[in-house]
Amino acid sequence: MLPYKIATLCDLRDQHGRVLLLRRTKAPNLGLHSPIGGKLDMASGESPAQSAAREIAEEAGLDIPIERLHLSGLISEAGYEGKTHWLMFYYRVLGHVWVEPHDMREGRLDWHHPADIPALD
């Protein structure tokens, strides 16, 4: 039986409707793009919304109040890499934001037009 892990994914948009994505330079998902996000700190009792706000602060340097986080969906991955199941809370940040594109530990954070991303068509 595989364990469940809980995470958040965060959809941030700029004033032109572009989405902020991380092009991963490390596993998992090496070479792919993903939204900002990460694992819930379950030991501290962190809520999914608190996790999303924390991940946005850590990865994008933005202080987004929980009131601007809209739960847009839940994503479930069964048996990812044969190691674990994932339950991910997908939050959309209400209103536009700006983050200067930059390199970080996991890869490159940059803006992308939704029409250029097949999964967002």
Side-chain angles (χ1 to χ4, degrees), residues 41-116:
D41 182 1
M42 292 188 283
S44 72
E46 183 177 56
S47 74
Q50 289 169 327
S51 173
R54 177 181 53 76
E55 291 291 343
I56 292 169
E58 289 175 2
E59 296 185 17
L62 297 174
D63 183 20
I64 301 293
I66 288 178
E67 295 77 27
R68 286 187 60 193
L69 298 176
H70 175 75
L71 181 60
S72 297
L74 296 172
I75 302 162
S76 176
E77 283 187 337
Y80 180 76
E81 294 184 337
K83 298 176 184 174
T84 190
H85 304 302
W86 283 97
L87 181 60
M88 293 169 276
F89 290 76
Y90 193 86
Y91 284 93
R92 174 83 183 258
V93 175
L94 301 177
H96 64 267
V97 299
W98 176 250
V99 173
E100 195 65 38
H102 63 276
D103 293 321
M104 51 192 296
R105 185 174 43 119
E106 294 90 2
R108 173 104 181 136
L109 199 57
D110 209 343
W111 296 100
H112 301 271
H113 289 282
D116 297 336

Side-chain angles (χ1 to χ4, degrees), residues 6-25:
I6 301 173
T8 56
L9 295 172
C10 306
D11 183 338
L12 291 83
R13 307 284 172 123
D14 71 3
Q15 65 182 354
H16 305 291
R18 297 179 300 174
V19 64
L20 187 63
L21 296 174
L22 175 67
R23 180 168 172 81
R24 299 192 59 87
T25 56

Side-chain angles (χ1 to χ4, degrees), residues 28-45:
N29 302 318
L30 175 67
L32 300 177
H33 287 85
S34 65
I36 286 174
K39 294 182 216 104
L40 232 70
D41 182 1
M42 292 188 283
S44 72

